[in-house]
Amino acid sequence: MITESGVVGMTLIVCESLVRIYQTGPVEVQALQGLDLVVEKGEMIAVVGASGSGKSTLLSILAGVDAPTAGRAHVEQWDLLAMSRADRVRYRRHTVGFVRQQTASNLIPYLTARQMVDLPMTAARTSAGERRKRSAELLEALGVSAYADRKPGQLSGGQQMRVAIAVALANQPHVLLADEPTGELDTATSAEVFGALRDVNRDLGVTVVVVTHDPAVSGQVERTVAIRDGRTSSEVLRRTATADDGGTHVIAEEYAVMDRAGRIQVPRDYREALALTRRVRLALEPDHITIRPDA
Ligand code: ADP
Ligand code: MG
């Protein structure tokens, strides 16, 4: 799927052995420790993981807001480790839309919803007529056209989030990155906001990467990527199957992720169940590999 030269087919995002080290004085924090991730065009994936596992760091890098320390990160034709300042501006303006983790940080208190959606288009020198048309369409698509003339303080948390999504989509990005968009919302409201993201993915064809803590959200996308200690540890794929009686049900299968060097992470409960520690025995069978305790 991935070649040395880069990306083939419909692959949109490729991260390989991605590393981000934060240096604060003498202290070094390895926020990403060799993360691998591939996202296909048109996909909607959820990223899950404990607090501090590196989810926001990953999204900031993909958003072009933060730069990786090492590894590879490509989005479309862009190499995120080797972008000029001008490219970065272009990338952030046209390729990605970003909804940040704190709801309030996405909106400007003294602007109305309509003015906020208008702003990124003004920066991109879109004509006034086009801006008017597009902001009306987006506010409508996100179900907030009735609140177009309200400022953030006059909107509920869910409405604010939907306006923030509309702002992120203003310049028709190919990728929408949303960092815990439902984190501060109650169950019903977060279902609405998540539904809006799904509509954006399905109706506008935008590739969506959403970070979430909410199992109800991750349970509804076809692929969930779990991050642990700054690396991708497992993926859950979901597909709908039709039973003999014609009814449909969702099958979820968990996969371990193997990096290019062949490393995989064995889940803690598996390790504990068989007391696997530093050394294990591997054996190649005709169609599988066994891992045994070193006893
Ligand atoms: P998550 O979003 O999964 O909670 P983050 O990506 O925010 O995780 O953080 C991953 C790790 O990097 C944490 O240990 C965090 O404290 C650290 N970190 C994140 N941003 C910075 C920063 N700007 N400076 C120093 N350390 C940071
Ligand atoms: Mg975070």
Side-chain angles (χ1 to χ4, degrees), residues 24-256:
T24 37
V27 186
E28 228 179 47
V29 179
Q30 288 218 16
L32 298 181
Q33 314 192 35
L35 178 135
D36 297 298
L37 177 70
V38 174
V39 181
E40 304 296 322
K41 190 169 160 53
E43 260 196 297
M44 172 158 179
I45 71 158
V47 175
V48 299
S51 179
S53 57
K55 305 181 299 294
S56 293
T57 303
L58 171 66
L59 249 62
S60 304
I61 289 172
L62 292 177
V65 171
D66 188 21
T69 308
R72 265 168 49 94
H74 281 244
V75 179
E76 293 186 332
Q77 76 273 31
W78 303 103
D79 177 351
L80 301 186
L81 277 92
M83 262 197 299
S84 68
R85 193 184 286 250
D87 282 348
R88 197 171 282 279
V89 169
R90 210 168 313 153
Y91 173 80
R92 285 169 57 172
R93 193 168 286 162
H94 296 286
T95 305
V96 290
F98 187 26
V99 178
R100 291 165 187 271
Q101 184 159 1
Q102 258 76 41
T103 315
S105 64
N106 290 297
L107 302 174
I108 301 167
Y110 54 85
L111 293 185
T112 66
R114 196 195 310 275
Q115 288 168 332
M116 280 182 285
V117 179
D118 193 78
L119 207 55
M121 290 187 278
T122 305
R125 298 173 185 280
T126 309
S127 73
E130 181 65 26
R131 296 202 313 264
R132 234 184 339 265
K133 180 164 163 282
R134 178 129 184 101
S135 48
E137 278 169 6
L138 275 173
L139 292 169
E140 176 71 39
L142 272 304
V144 283
S145 49
Y147 318 113
D149 297 312
R150 292 202 193 170
K151 294 173 183 171
Q154 303 164 309
L155 297 169
S156 71
Q159 290 160 355
Q160 287 182 8
M161 188 48 75
R162 283 187 278 164
V163 172
I165 295 169
V167 173
L169 293 171
N171 286 326
Q172 298 176 272
H174 306 157
V175 188
L176 178 66
L177 307 165
D179 196 352
E180 299 197 32
T182 62
E184 295 168 15
L185 306 175
D186 62 59
T187 311
T189 314
S190 63
E192 268 173 42
V193 167
F194 180 68
L197 289 175
R198 288 230 294 201
D199 292 347
V200 164
N201 172 249
R202 199 182 45 216
D203 302 341
L204 307 178
V206 177
T207 304
V208 177
V209 177
V210 53
V211 169
T212 182
H213 267 306
D214 187 350
V217 168
S218 57
Q220 285 183 55
V221 296
E222 282 171 14
R223 188 156 71 101
T224 300
V225 173
I227 296 185
R228 189 180 301 140
D229 301 331
R231 311 175 66 128
T232 349
S233 60
S234 67
E235 288 195 11
V236 174
L237 301 188
R238 291 182 189 77
R239 59 193 166 85
T240 312
T242 309
D244 292 340
D245 63 6
T248 57
H249 57 284
V250 175
I251 298 174
E253 284 179 294
E254 182 162 6
Y255 292 78

Side-chain angles (χ1 to χ4, degrees), residues 1-21:
M1 206 159 30
I2 306 163
T3 63
E4 285 301 326
S5 64
V7 177
V8 287
M10 304 296 276
T11 303
L12 198 80
I13 299 174
V14 179
C15 298
E16 265 177 32
S17 307
L18 196 60
V19 174
R20 176 63 169 107
I21 297 170

